[in-house]
Amino acid sequence: MPDVIHLLPDSIANQIAAGEVIQRPASAVKELLENSIDAGSTSITLVVKDAGKTLIQVIDNGCGMSETDARMAFERHATSKISSVDDLFSIRTKGFRGEALASIAAVAQVELKTRLHDEPLGTCIYLEGSEVRSQEPCQTPAGTIISVKNLFYNVPARRNFLRSDAAELRHIIEEFQRVALAHPNIFFSMYNNEVEIFHLKPGNLRQRITTVFGSASNEKLVPVNEQAGVVKIYGFVGKPAFARKTRGEQYFFVNNRYVRNNYLNHAVFINYADLLPPNSYPFFVLFIDIDPSSIDINVHPAKLEVKFEDEKLVYGFVRAAVRHALAKFSVTPELDFDQEQSLNQIQAQQQQAMTNRPSSERASPGFLEKRDTANWEKLYEIGLKTQTEFTLPSDLSVEGEDPASEESSIRPIQIHCRYILSQIKSGFIVIDQQAAHERILYEKYLRALNSHAPGTQRQLFPRTVHFSPDDASLLRQILSDVNTIGFDIQEFGQDSFIIHGLPADIQIDGEEQQALLEQILEDYKNNLTVLRLSPRESLARSLSQRAAVKAGKALTVREMQTLIDQLFACEQPYLSPGRKNTFITFDFEELDKLFSPRQPAGKLTS
Ligand code: ADP
Ligand code: MG
């Protein structure tokens, strides 16, 4: 039998390898833009025709290349950016594999014009399918102009595989935006079919974001800025009002390189839990700066993925930083010790991690911290009391009252039967009793729905209720959830039902029971269509709003204390299910400012 193995010619080997790096016009755009950045350019223009299928051209004013380098640049594994294995662990440039130009040249017609700044003449080189067809001196501005024509002209399978112009252009714009966001100090412009679609003057990050996403985004940005040891995070997160239905506008950059990392996204998203309607995502542009030796970006040729030596630590850091930022801008109230504690913890962990390196333990991607009630204990000098079931309305106030003691000075006070005032370490806190109780019940009902452990109170006399056919069919549909939440309702034929029991928090009888159920069905329809809540969320929300203690109801000290304890044991104590603030804090610092001495009248006018 004859030998059958032979080496592939270079041109085919290159084409195969190119498939890994260059999948579509947008991948070529990314590589070319990154080369221009690595070349130290301060001005970069991208020109595409027919969504990059006919032409992708990048014009920069970077360092340019010598005659020899211009030729070398198209050789596989030719790079000026690393020269030893050690360099791989301290990468600060975008490129380093020396593959991009070789790959592009394998599947397109490429013209490169380039000139070093101190040379009078530049060089123009032309390649087709990896082969140099010509090279000659030429007049050209200092810097580089690279034109990629007819991408995949020699790989019909790939060319046919490309999507519509509109779809390919969207990919290109996405790459362009990522690069432009990461480098606000560089001028960028972009043309498609001779129309300028971006013109981004150099500026700071906020200016760059608002020119990329529209000036309306400006007021919706909340700055993030945190440093813990060698990790730094900065950038912006969007206020909840800026949330979108798409997952598109989330940008993470690690050492200025755009990365996709769902684990990190989660660290941001979790701070928005409950602040956003379901299926919408917060906007963010965040930069993490970290010692390059503690990450691995060489996971994938397109370098979109990043591995952290200690992923869990970075997760905690991102989460705490975003929480702090949102709290600081009163998007969600937060208490500073909470923040400081998390960041201090991270710093401590980091030091520990440094001493234990290399750490073999990696965080599991599903890692999810549970809110730690210990934080809230610190908030209250009195500490958390034993958790008693909070049953309202209740008239046992006299029996429940504590005798006067040294604790009396830190007892909560009710104001106009609506708000509860309570002392905390850093000042005082004002709680909206109704909003707070709604939140408590909401989480309780959600727990019941998820664990199937309702607290039902059986009625001595079951009650029969009748509904319209419409409502009856809806009730039948959600009956098992309604019962899981604490009702005990049975079908009784002909649009009738028998109520055997109610959730333990609800003490109403007769007519009111039917009204409550009608109200729940009504809320349910609204929640589902208008707010697009899930069936369970909707039920929990509706019932919590119906069952919560109302403004105007006098509370005993014990009831208030229980309410406070239970509120701060909630996973998201800040907002009611209807998204009202449940409490507001007043710090000494703010109070002292308000009470500071006034300026003498004379000084004010000078
Ligand atoms: P890499 O960026 O990984 O080094 P590339 O194939 O993208 O590999 O580029 C090869 C080399 O060509 C680069 O290392 C750089 O020296 C040179 N080069 C590419 N584009 C430019 C440019 N726009 N300006 C100056 N030099 C460039
Ligand atoms: Mg490159």
Side-chain angles (χ1 to χ4, degrees):
M1 202 172 144
D3 295 337
V4 289
I5 297 179
H6 59 270
L7 284 175
L8 289 173
D10 268 2
S11 58
I12 297 184
N14 279 346
Q15 265 186 33
I16 293 170
E20 240 193 310
V21 188
I22 309 297
Q23 286 111 11
R24 51 170 21 116
S27 357
V29 165
K30 170 180 190 277
E31 295 295 338
L32 298 180
L33 291 176
E34 291 189 345
N35 280 349
S36 295
I37 287 166
D38 285 344
S41 313
T42 57
S43 166
I44 300 175
T45 296
L46 168 67
V47 178
V48 299
K49 287 212 172 103
D50 306 321
K53 293 173 185 172
T54 314
L55 175 74
I56 300 166
Q57 183 178 56
V58 173
I59 304 162
D60 72 43
N61 65 352
C63 61
M65 285 172 261
S66 72
E67 201 184 315
T68 319
D69 282 353
R71 220 172 32 250
M72 280 288 288
F74 292 97
E75 298 285 331
R76 189 158 297 276
H77 305 306
T79 178
S80 55
K81 297 166 196 172
I82 57 171
S83 47
S84 75
V85 172
D86 285 350
D87 292 349
L88 266 178
F89 298 98
S90 54
I91 287 160
R92 286 282 180 193
T93 54
K94 305 271 171 187
F96 57 85
R97 291 166 158 261
E99 277 184 326
L101 290 187
S103 297
I104 292 170
V107 292
Q109 295 148 349
V110 178
E111 183 193 81
L112 172 75
K113 287 182 172 180
T114 185
R115 175 162 78 82
L116 296 168
H117 284 247
D118 49 10
E119 293 286 337
L121 274 184
T123 181
C124 175
I125 180 168
Y126 181 76
L127 301 93
E128 256 183 41
S130 296
E131 285 189 17
V132 179
R133 292 293 159 91
S134 67
Q135 183 171 17
E136 54 202 21
C138 74
Q139 298 265 344
T140 183
T144 300
I145 304 174
I146 183 160
S147 313
V148 176
K149 294 174 191 165
N150 306 317
L151 190 68
F152 302 130
Y153 79 102
N154 53 352
V155 199
R158 272 212 176 261
R159 198 167 169 89
N160 294 337
F161 183 71
L162 292 180
R163 312 254 316 270
S164 69
D165 281 10
E168 294 299 340
L169 187 65
R170 262 204 314 280
H171 285 293
I172 293 177
I173 289 175
E174 184 59 27
E175 293 294 352
F176 177 87
Q177 287 181 338
R178 289 172 186 169
V179 176
L181 285 172
H183 300 277
N185 52 333
I186 297 178
F187 169 83
F188 282 93
S189 66
M190 172 174 170
Y191 293 80
N192 179 45
N193 295 338
E194 263 120 68
V195 181
E196 187 177 48
I197 53 180
F198 285 102
H199 185 94
L200 309 174
K201 296 203 179 87
N204 59 29
L205 180 60
R206 183 187 274 275
Q207 288 162 334
R208 178 57 48 97
I209 291 173
T210 52
T211 35
V212 170
F213 296 106
S215 53
S217 55
N218 191 17
E219 60 192 66
K220 296 175 186 142
L221 299 178
V222 177
V224 175
N225 210 332
E226 222 68 66
Q227 176 141 22
V230 292
V231 194
K232 187 175 153 194
I233 183 169
Y234 62 94
F236 294 90
V237 293
K239 294 180 183 167
F242 200 20
R244 296 291 163 82
K245 287 277 175 210
T246 61
R247 272 180 177 266
E249 288 172 352
Q250 286 97 35
Y251 297 87
F252 255 118
F253 298 88
V254 173
N255 292 349
N256 252 24
R257 182 193 299 277
Y258 173 81
V259 297
R260 263 204 293 259
N261 187 318
N262 286 334
Y263 187 58
L264 287 188
N265 287 352
H266 188 268
V268 180
F269 290 165
I270 189 143
N271 291 291
Y272 287 84
D274 275 13
L275 296 176
L276 296 181
N279 302 320
S280 52
Y281 302 93
F283 169 93
F284 62 81
V285 178
L286 291 171
F287 293 78
I288 297 175
D289 276 0
I290 189 166
D291 179 357
S293 68
S294 68
I295 57 172
D296 182 3
I297 43 174
N298 202 4
V299 183
H300 183 267
K303 297 163 236 136
L304 275 181
E305 276 152 42
V306 61
K307 268 216 179 103
F308 296 96
E309 194 169 82
D310 193 339
E311 206 170 31
K312 204 167 161 180
L313 200 75
V314 178
Y315 178 99
F317 177 57
V318 170
R319 180 181 168 166
V322 171
R323 181 166 59 193
H324 187 208
L326 288 175
K328 213 156 131 193
F329 283 78
S330 310
V331 179
T332 59
E334 185 215 41
L335 305 136
D336 354 24
F337 71 83
D338 193 6
Q339 150 66 15
E340 275 160 22
Q341 196 210 16
S342 333
L343 287 176
N344 289 343
Q345 263 172 2
I346 286 158
Q347 210 146 356
Q349 284 168 352
Q350 210 177 55
Q351 274 157 7
Q352 207 185 0
M354 298 278 273
T355 47
N356 295 346
R357 270 165 70 180
S359 86
S360 52
E361 277 186 9
R362 287 273 148 78
S364 69
F367 163 75
L368 222 167
E369 244 178 82
K370 191 126 173 70
R371 171 165 281 284
D372 191 359
T373 44
N375 289 336
W376 299 106
E377 274 177 54
K378 285 199 191 153
L379 167 63
Y380 282 92
E381 286 170 336
I382 50 176
L384 289 177
K385 305 228 154 196
T386 28
Q387 302 255 327
T388 46
E389 203 41 36
F390 187 46
T391 316
L392 282 167
S394 142
D395 293 319
L396 302 174
S397 46
V398 182
E399 196 194 292
E401 290 298 51
D402 297 327
S405 66
E406 78 264 301
E407 274 192 6
S408 62
S409 65
I410 49 172
R411 275 185 182 182
I413 300 165
Q414 195 182 23
I415 304 169
H416 292 288
C417 293
R418 292 178 63 164
Y419 294 106
I420 299 167
L421 211 114
S422 176
Q423 183 174 311
I424 56 172
K425 262 188 189 170
S426 62
F428 68 91
I429 186 169
V430 181
I431 296 168
D432 178 325
Q433 66 185 45
Q434 184 173 339
H437 197 212
E438 285 176 8
R439 159 57 57 182
I440 294 165
L441 292 177
Y442 174 68
E443 293 199 2
K444 178 177 159 183
Y445 293 141
L446 275 184
R447 274 196 304 275
L449 280 169
N450 291 328
S451 68
H452 297 273
T456 307
Q457 212 172 323
R458 302 273 305 186
Q459 310 208 87
L460 218 43
F461 305 104
R463 188 178 171 84
T464 312
V465 289
H466 307 277
F467 291 102
S468 70
D470 227 29
D471 280 355
S473 98
L474 179 59
L475 183 55
R476 268 194 292 275
Q477 215 181 305
I478 61 173
L479 197 57
S480 84
D481 275 347
V482 168
N483 284 340
T484 313
I485 218 166
F487 285 92
D488 183 353
I489 300 177
Q490 235 183 359
E491 267 194 85
F492 195 50
Q494 282 291 317
D495 303 335
S496 300
F497 297 81
I498 305 182
I499 307 177
H500 293 288
L502 293 168
D505 321 278
I506 299 176
Q507 289 160 18
I508 50 172
D509 44 38
E511 305 286 280
E512 287 176 76
Q513 293 183 3
Q514 166 131 21
L516 173 69
L517 279 170
E518 278 170 1
Q519 187 64 57
I520 288 173
L521 293 174
E522 193 56 37
D523 288 345
Y524 188 83
K525 287 182 242 171
N526 282 335
N527 289 345
L528 229 53
T529 52
V530 182
L531 299 171
R532 304 192 171 282
L533 298 182
S534 75
R536 294 191 156 188
E537 267 175 344
S538 165
L539 255 187
R541 178 168 163 161
S542 167
L543 197 58
S544 66
Q545 286 170 340
R546 300 302 143 211
V549 54
K550 299 289 177 292
K553 162 82 184 155
L555 302 177
T556 65
V557 169
R558 170 153 301 173
E559 283 169 343
M560 287 190 271
Q561 276 166 348
T562 311
L563 183 102
I564 294 170
D565 291 350
Q566 293 190 349
L567 177 65
F568 291 124
C570 282
E571 291 208 19
Q572 279 284 353
Y574 320 113
L575 293 180
S576 75
R579 302 166 55 127
K580 281 172 66 171
N581 281 335
T582 50
F583 66 91
I584 295 170
T585 53
F586 293 85
D587 288 348
F588 285 128
E589 215 178 296
E590 293 166 50
L591 291 170
D592 288 349
K593 241 186 251 163
L594 291 172
F595 286 104
S596 63
R598 289 170 174 252
Q599 298 266 319
K603 279 204 177 153
L604 276 173
T605 46
S606 68

